[in-house]
Amino acid sequence: MVGLIVAAVLILFALFVAAKTVRIIPQARAGVVERLGRYSRTLTPGMTIVVPFIDRVRPLLDLREQVVTFPPQPVITADNVSVGIDTVLYFTITEPKSATYEVANPLQAIEQLTVTTLRNIVGSLTLEQALTSRDEVNDRLRIVLDERTGKWGIRINGVELKSIDPPGTIQEAMEKQMRAERDRRAAILTAEGVKQSAILTAEGEKQSAVLKAEGGKQAAILRAEGEAKAIDTVFSAIHEGDPDPKLLSYQYLQMLPQLARGDANKIWVIPSEFTQALSNLSGFAADATERRQKPEPPPPPAVTPGDPAA
């Protein structure tokens, strides 16, 4: 019975020693081995063997990129405005040995270093610059942190300002300023629209006036050409017909009433040619009367066939 108990104890002890001897390191993990209290080596992913009771494996370190969010920190800007800034930090452990022995609490050390560096950077900027220069602040903060944490075996991949919260009164003033700026831009755009509309209207009226003038000019030219052709046609017809002075005098007398027509004609001056036209017309009328009063000659006597006088 005692032998069975001893055998069981030996088996359990052998299993315990085997568990302490064979260690399996997962992917993206690293283990630091201490031999008799001093650093021995760093375990990489896979199966490895350590000496039990002599080697001690410290807690495994995560080699993946890690994200840490820090609570809001009060920061005073260059124009004496207190703002609360939330930061998000991305880091990766590159040297497990340094991360284990160079710093006691890496996360706390990074947080305090981030707060002090952020106050130095934002303290040199005004509130407006801090709100509009986040990329610049992120880059400067990352460079400073990466230089300080390099000896700790930690690489800072990026730092982001999650939010910048100014006091309520400052936010209200900024909203009023933004509203006034939008109103100003709207007024400028409205004025520009009215100006462009007036310019386009004036240009349209100008073009319309030019086109009307061109049309009137063309119409006057065509009308003058038509009248010239009509006068030329009438003049040619008159010369081809060879009228006598009596006919011309009669036409002249017919045109006189048209010359005197109109309400604005208060005085009508009889031209000197009127007397000559009347005399010609009178002579023409006398000749016509004389022709009508003159007896017609008797017709010649009729000649019969067989008449000796014929």
Side-chain angles (χ1 to χ4, degrees), residues 213-234:
E214 289 290 337
K217 174 183 175 182
Q218 294 295 331
I221 293 174
L222 294 176
R223 193 181 302 109
E225 291 178 354
E227 293 177 355
K229 290 183 179 179
I231 293 173
D232 183 66
T233 303
V234 173

Side-chain angles (χ1 to χ4, degrees), residues 187-204:
I188 292 175
L189 292 177
T190 302
E192 288 290 337
V194 173
K195 175 183 176 181
Q196 292 296 330
S197 176
I199 292 174
L200 293 177
T201 302
E203 288 290 338

Side-chain angles (χ1 to χ4, degrees), residues 256-277:
L256 288 177
Q258 298 181 4
L259 294 175
R261 186 181 302 169
D263 298 336
N265 296 331
K266 304 300 182 181
I267 300 175
W268 183 33
V269 179
I270 299 176
S272 61
E273 291 83 358
F274 181 70
T275 305
Q276 184 179 357

